């Protein structure tokens, strides 16, 4: 027997053996989150998706699990590595993109904004309770008329003595209707600034967007800010200009690079399993060449995308990751995850259109993931600018 034949056949669900590239601590994070998803999410997610709900209590469960702001240091946060955080996103999204979305918005957008741009007092006041899931945060950048181009936002904050008066409308805000506080980005005489707006503030209201056919296990809301009077210390002192919210987006986009591969892996696993048991023409459909071609394509892209996420994670931990490289990950992995989900859906035939299997739920969710945190077109143009030196936005 040759040396190469003694090497065991690779695991169909981890064909490149990427688990072996992880540290013991990273594997522990992955296993802990995967167990949580198997125990607390998978048995209930189809019902949440069908009913269009995400139970508020889940916030405290995720807090107890330690995944909310897990890559931040201090203030009750775990100080985990970027790779560990990415693995948590991957396993959460293997459950459902809505659950990963909740964790992303809480940790990488709302908490990160306070952590990176807030005063010591703001950090002490909000971060420990947000890490525990006792306080829910949301992140308001997008407006009804300004999505890809947030620089043109109309929401405005003006000085009123030492206070601020904030008015405007934010749209498509994840967790908006269940949030205790919102990070709101607004124009001021001093350019774009960020504010912590507690939802009990008079003039703050949220209306949930119903009838979504994607990310149904996630609360998505319109926020109306009608002359909200905010104290001076609601301003995030260190954020100036659009680079403030964009710095937060770098964090969340990084998590999505991993998360998308979780959804993709779940679809591939469902299609592989189904293909081995579904018999047509007297044979399992996994024996047909066309089915094998689909499964192999899925395996290629899941493994390549996960390898890419791991590579970017190692770069992030080394402090060498550029935002355009995050765009590379977000663009590639969400696009490929969606292609995998669509292909997996076809392997399941008619069963692929029901919530009895996870595939169409992931497929519909990934349509939102393709759009939020920068559309695939926006990330293409960010990469185009990075490699040509010419901006297509101006
Ligand atoms: P541009 O002139 O290029 O830049 C303005 C300033 O920002 C700086 N910058 C960045 N800083 C940090 N990180 C980045 N990735 C940055 N990219 C740019 C830049 O250096 C400049 O700084 P300064 O100091 O010179 O002022 O800005 P632009 O207006 O041309 O826009 C660029 C563009 C189109 C790429 C940007 O606007 C963009 O990314 N648009 C997409 C908007 C988006 O992603 N929205 C997401 C909303 S949040 C969301 O979707 C949450 S979903 C969460 C969930 O449920 O999981
Ligand atoms: P538009 O910007 O109007 O784009 C429409 C189309 O035009 C897209 O295909 C786009 O790529 C294309 N396009 C735009 N500009 C260009 C260009 N220069 N060149 C080529 N094509 C272009 N936002 C938040 O602030 N906080 C949140 O928590 C949040 N959560 C979300 C949750 C969900 C479920 C969804 C669906 C969205 C969420 N968003 C959130 C909003 C999201 O970030 C925006 O939808 C996204 O940035 C795109 O904006 P838009 O929908 O207004 O599309």
């Amino acid at each position: 027997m040759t040396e190469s034949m003694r090497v065991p056949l690779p695991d169909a669900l981890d064909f490149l053996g990427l688990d072996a590239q992880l540290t013991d601590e990273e594997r522990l994070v992955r296993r802990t989150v995967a167990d949580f998803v198997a125990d607390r999410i998978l048995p209930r997610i189809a019902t949440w998706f069908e009913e269009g709900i995400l139970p508020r209590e889940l916030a405290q469960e995720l807090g107890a699990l330690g995944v909310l702001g897990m890559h931040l240091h201090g203030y009750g946060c775990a100080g985990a590595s970027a790779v560990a955080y990415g693995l948590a996103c991957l396993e959460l999204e293997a459950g459902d993109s809505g659950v990963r979305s909740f964790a992303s918005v809480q940790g990488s957008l709302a908490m990160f904004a306070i952590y990176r741009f807030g005063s010591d007092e703001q950090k002490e006041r909000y971060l420990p309770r947000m890490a525990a899931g006792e306080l829910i945060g949301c992140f308001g950048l997008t407006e009804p008329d300004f999505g890809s181009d947030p620089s043109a936002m109309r929401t405005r904050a003006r000085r009123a003595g030492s206070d601020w008066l904030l008015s405007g409308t934010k749209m498509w805000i994840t967790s908006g209707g269940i949030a205790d506080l919102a990070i709101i980005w607004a124009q001021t005489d001093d350019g774009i600034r960020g504010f912590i707006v507690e939802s009990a503030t008079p003039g703050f209201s949220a209306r949930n967007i119903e009838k979504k056919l994607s990310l149904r296990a996630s609360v998505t809301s319109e926020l109306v800010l009608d002359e909200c009077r905010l104290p001076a210390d609601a301003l995030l002192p260190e954020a100036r200009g659009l680079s403030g919210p964009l710095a937060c987006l770098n964090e969340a986009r990084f998590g999505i690079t991993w998360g998308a591969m979780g959804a993709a892996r779940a679809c591939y696993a469902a299609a592989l399993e189904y293909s081995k048991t579904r018999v047509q023409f007297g044979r399992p459909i996994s024996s047909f060449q066309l089915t094998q071609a689909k499964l192999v394509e899925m395996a290629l892209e899941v493994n390549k995308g996960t390898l890419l996420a791991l590579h970017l994670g190692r770069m992030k931990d080394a402090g060498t990751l550029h935002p355009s490289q995050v765009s590379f990950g977000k663009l590639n992995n969400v696009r490929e995850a969606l292609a995998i989900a669509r292909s997996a859906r076809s392997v399941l035939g008619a069963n692929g259109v029901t919530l009895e299997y996870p595939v169409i739920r992931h497929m519909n969710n990934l349509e939102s993931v393709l759009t939020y945190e920068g559309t695939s077109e926006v990330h293409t143009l960010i990469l185009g600018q990075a490699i040509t030196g010419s901006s297509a936005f101006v």
Side-chain angles (χ1 to χ4, degrees):
M1 196 187 274
T2 64
E3 274 303 312
S4 62
M5 287 172 72
R6 278 198 209 103
V7 175
L9 190 66
D11 176 353
L13 295 180
D14 180 20
F15 202 80
L16 294 182
L18 295 181
D19 222 41
Q21 301 300 314
L22 305 178
T23 64
D24 288 345
E25 195 181 332
E26 289 163 352
R27 265 191 293 273
L28 179 64
V29 167
R30 174 181 209 154
R31 180 50 41 215
T32 305
V33 178
D35 288 348
F36 174 86
V37 167
D39 186 35
R40 303 296 300 155
I41 306 295
L42 292 181
R44 306 188 286 169
I45 187 64
T47 305
W48 297 344
F49 187 95
E50 194 165 17
E51 294 178 0
I53 55 166
L54 187 76
R56 201 184 192 288
E57 313 79 75
L58 190 65
Q60 271 158 303
E61 290 193 50
L62 291 169
L65 184 66
V67 295
L68 302 179
M70 65 184 278
H71 61 310
L72 309 181
H73 294 260
Y75 310 100
C77 304
S81 69
V83 170
Y85 169 61
L87 288 163
C89 288
L90 184 147
E91 294 302 341
L92 288 176
E93 196 150 355
D96 192 80
S97 301
V99 177
R100 195 272 308 139
S101 241
F102 177 86
S104 287
V105 169
Q106 180 81 353
S108 286
L109 295 180
M111 291 177 72
F112 182 82
I114 297 171
Y115 180 81
R116 172 77 180 73
F117 300 117
S119 64
D120 289 343
E121 192 195 42
Q122 288 168 335
K123 293 177 199 176
E124 296 288 357
R125 179 167 180 190
Y126 295 111
L127 293 180
R129 295 185 65 200
M130 292 176 82
E134 291 165 15
L135 288 180
I136 295 178
C138 67
F139 183 89
L141 181 63
T142 306
E143 300 189 355
D145 293 334
F146 304 99
S148 297
D149 182 17
S151 67
M153 68 176 68
R154 287 204 193 100
T155 297
R156 188 160 184 89
R158 59 181 205 283
R159 293 249 183 217
S162 65
D163 291 348
W164 292 89
L165 282 175
L166 177 69
S167 284
T169 305
K170 295 292 177 180
M171 194 65 182
W172 300 108
I173 306 306
T174 299
S175 301
I178 53 171
D180 300 290
L181 62 111
I183 305 297
I184 299 292
W185 301 95
Q187 303 280 3
T188 71
D189 288 344
D190 195 18
I192 291 173
R193 305 295 303 265
F195 296 85
I196 304 173
V197 184
E198 296 189 4
S199 57
T201 307
F204 179 101
S205 60
R207 179 188 65 83
N208 291 345
I209 297 170
E210 310 289 352
K211 301 189 179 178
K212 277 180 301 166
L213 295 179
S214 174
L215 226 69
R216 288 185 53 73
S218 173
V219 175
T220 315
S221 317
E222 175 186 40
L223 303 182
V224 176
L225 308 144
D226 182 10
E227 293 285 271
C228 291
R229 181 174 282 275
L230 305 175
D233 65 4
L235 177 75
L236 293 172
E238 305 300 332
R240 288 174 190 276
L242 194 60
S243 61
L246 291 179
C248 304
L249 293 181
N250 293 335
E251 300 298 305
R253 290 167 176 174
F254 170 78
I256 290 172
T257 296
W258 286 85
M261 283 300 114
R265 188 196 66 197
C267 292
Y268 162 57
L272 181 60
E273 171 70 20
Y274 187 87
S275 71
K276 290 189 203 166
T277 52
R278 177 70 179 170
V279 174
Q280 290 293 289
F281 300 96
R283 294 156 57 185
I285 61 170
S286 61
S287 69
F288 297 131
Q289 292 180 8
L290 290 176
T291 307
Q292 290 191 3
K294 290 178 188 175
L295 294 169
V296 167
E297 196 60 35
M298 290 180 216
L300 287 175
E301 296 309 327
V302 170
N303 280 272
K304 282 155 63 180
T306 309
L307 194 53
L308 169 60
L310 181 59
H311 177 66
L312 296 180
R314 296 284 182 233
M315 290 178 78
K316 188 162 164 52
D317 278 327
T320 59
L321 186 64
H322 187 270
S324 61
Q325 293 167 322
V326 179
S327 288
F328 188 113
K330 202 265 180 184
L331 173 63
N332 183 78
N333 284 8
V334 180
R335 186 170 69 187
E336 294 307 325
L338 188 52
I340 288 167
R342 287 173 178 157
S343 180
R345 215 286 312 144
S346 78
V347 171
L348 269 65
N351 279 319
V353 307
T354 79
L355 280 173
E356 297 297 321
Y357 294 86
V359 178
I360 198 160
R361 177 169 52 77
H362 283 301
M363 188 181 100
N364 281 11
N365 285 340
L366 287 164
E367 293 288 349
S368 285
V369 182
L370 192 74
T371 288
Y372 68 37
E373 300 274 7
T375 65
S376 50
E377 292 80 6
V378 161
H379 288 293
T380 301
L381 296 179
I382 291 172
L383 286 167
Q385 179 175 1
I387 63 178
T388 67
S390 300
S391 170
F393 295 115
V394 287

